Structures are given as C-alpha cells and as structure tokens.
C-alpha cells in the first residue's frame, strides 16, 4: 500500500487517553528496544517496565487503523518526555538491572534539556512500529509537529550516524547537521558518532 493511500491520524498522547499507553510503549520499544536489551530481551517485559515513564502530553502519536504506528516527543527547555520511577523499574527488571536502568535513564533521558528559548523546541524519541513501517507514519508525526504554531527552530539530538533511514528522512524534511559527537566504543556499538540536526523555519 502506498504512503499516499494510508489514512494517518496524529494526536497527542494525553488526548488519546491512558488506554493507549501500552500501545504507545510498544512503539517506543520497537524503536529503541535494541538499545535496551541489556535490561530485558523480551520486548513485552520492556514494554511493561517502561510504559509508566512516558509523559504522554509530550508525545505525538500517529495512528493507522486506530493503532499507534509512530511517535515523537516535543519538548521545550526544562520539560521532560521521560519521568521514570526507580521502584517500578526494579519491580519489572529485577533489583540489579532495575537499579542500573534507573541510573542510565536519569543520566541520558532526564535533566539534559537546554535552557528555555522562545520559539525553540526539541524533537526526540522518534520511533516507528515494526508492523507499520514503510507506510509514512513517522513522516506524518514529524510533519504534524513542524506545523504546530509557536516554534521556528527545532533540534534533533544525538542520532546514531549509522541510522541512515532516520537521517535521510530528517534531511528531506529540511533538517541539517550542526554537530557531530564522536564515540569511543565503535568496535562494539557499530556506529562512529552521534549526529545532531537543526531546522529553522522562516
């Protein structure tokens, strides 16, 4: 089925309601599960562990046939898209891995927002459901976010340089690289740098 013939609706997560939380978390794990396999190899276990930490009002979700198909977060300075509870992580991932997950998530997912700046926002956690990939859902979410009023500059931070599909999509939407941060663990991680991109709208 071509992208043009797919009916895609984009809504904010909190407007969809709590009954969609699990499905939204499934899309998150589809997108980032490979980076989280240390904590649990079972995708459903990961979904159950992390679904509580998604701040739904920060996520925009594409729906195909009424099911979450892609998502992305939108935050301004000081806002968080992830807010996890350490006890919940330990409950689902075990004492050791839950404690490590708490530290990792706190370091990488929270507290790194830039200072507030009028008209500037960060797009993050862009992910697609495996079931609906290739049907334009991620592009629909990003186009929806870029059409929201009140912003004229968007950033996408720390994209792996081997994620050619994502980088290509962002470039087609007008994003341009403004920073490249090399990593020291290329041998085991498989990528060489984190790429950050920016889009300024007139």
């Amino acid at each position: 089925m071509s992208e043009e013939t797919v009916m895609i609706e984009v809504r904010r997560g909190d407007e969809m309601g709590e009954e969609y939380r699990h499905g939204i978390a499934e899309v998150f794990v589809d997108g980032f599960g490979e980076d989280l396999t240390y904590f649990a190899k079972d995708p459903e276990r990961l979904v159950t562990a992390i679904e509580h930490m998604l701040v739904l009002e920060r996520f925009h979700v594409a729906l195909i046939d009424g099911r979450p198909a892609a998502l992305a977060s939108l935050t301004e300075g000081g806002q968080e898209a992830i807010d996890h509870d350490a006890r919940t992580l330990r409950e689902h991932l075990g004492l050791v891995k839950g404690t490590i997950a708490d530290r990792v998530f706190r370091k990488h997912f929270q507290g790194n927002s830039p200072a507030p700046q009028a008209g500037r926002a960060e797009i993050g956690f862009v992910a697609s459901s495996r079931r609906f990939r290739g049907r334009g859902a991620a592009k629909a979410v990003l186009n929806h976010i870029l059409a929201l009023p009140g912003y004229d500059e968007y950033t996408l931070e720390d994209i792996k340089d081997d994620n050619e599909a994502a980088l290509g999509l962002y470039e087609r939407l007008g994003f341009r690289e403004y920073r490249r941060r090399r990593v020291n663990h290329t041998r085991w991680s498989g990528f060489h740098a984190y790429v950050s991109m920016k889009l300024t709208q007139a």
Side-chain angles (χ1 to χ4, degrees):
M1 184 177 291
S2 68
E3 182 177 318
E4 290 74 16
T5 61
V6 176
M7 295 299 295
I8 302 174
E9 177 188 9
V10 180
R11 298 175 62 190
R12 212 170 66 189
D14 60 325
E15 295 172 347
M16 295 163 59
E18 284 294 321
E19 64 268 26
Y20 280 90
R21 179 177 289 275
H22 192 82
I24 294 170
E26 287 178 329
V27 177
F28 188 97
V29 169
D30 269 355
F32 302 103
E34 289 185 7
D35 297 323
L36 303 173
T37 53
Y38 167 78
F39 303 113
K41 291 183 171 58
D42 176 12
E44 186 56 32
R45 187 178 179 192
L46 278 175
V47 169
T48 304
I50 65 95
E51 63 180 340
H52 77 279
M53 70 185 195
L54 304 179
V55 182
L56 294 186
E57 68 186 88
R58 308 289 183 224
F59 282 89
H60 295 260
V61 183
L63 299 166
I64 295 179
D65 299 330
R67 299 188 58 174
L71 56 80
S73 66
L74 179 69
T75 55
E76 301 176 43
Q79 294 178 339
E80 302 284 3
I82 299 295
D83 184 16
H84 73 273
D85 176 69
R87 289 175 298 179
T88 302
L89 292 177
R90 287 193 288 268
E91 176 185 347
H92 294 289
L93 301 176
L95 177 60
V96 174
K97 291 188 176 180
T99 299
I100 296 173
D102 169 45
R103 294 173 181 170
V104 170
F105 294 171
R106 204 169 297 282
K107 177 180 179 181
H108 293 285
F109 293 165
Q110 295 171 286
N112 298 316
S113 301
Q117 181 177 326
R120 181 180 180 183
E122 180 179 342
I123 299 172
F125 300 110
V126 182
S128 297
S129 166
R130 288 190 179 92
R131 173 175 179 163
F132 294 110
R133 276 181 192 160
R135 300 176 69 179
K139 181 179 179 182
V141 170
L142 292 170
N143 279 329
H144 170 84
I145 288 174
L146 295 176
L148 293 173
Y151 305 105
D152 52 33
E153 183 177 290
Y154 300 86
T155 58
L156 285 156
E157 303 293 335
D158 291 344
I159 309 144
K160 293 179 182 178
D161 66 350
D162 65 345
N163 192 345
E164 296 178 2
L167 291 169
L169 172 59
Y170 305 149
E171 287 178 359
R172 290 192 295 276
L173 292 173
F175 284 86
R176 296 294 177 261
E177 179 180 335
Y178 78 93
R179 186 179 67 221
R180 183 173 290 252
R181 181 164 59 88
R182 298 194 65 81
V183 298
N184 298 318
H185 46 67
T186 298
R187 180 173 297 179
W188 61 265
S189 68
F191 67 100
H192 297 85
Y194 286 110
V195 177
S196 294
M197 307 181 79
K198 183 183 294 184
L199 169 64
T200 302
Q201 298 185 138

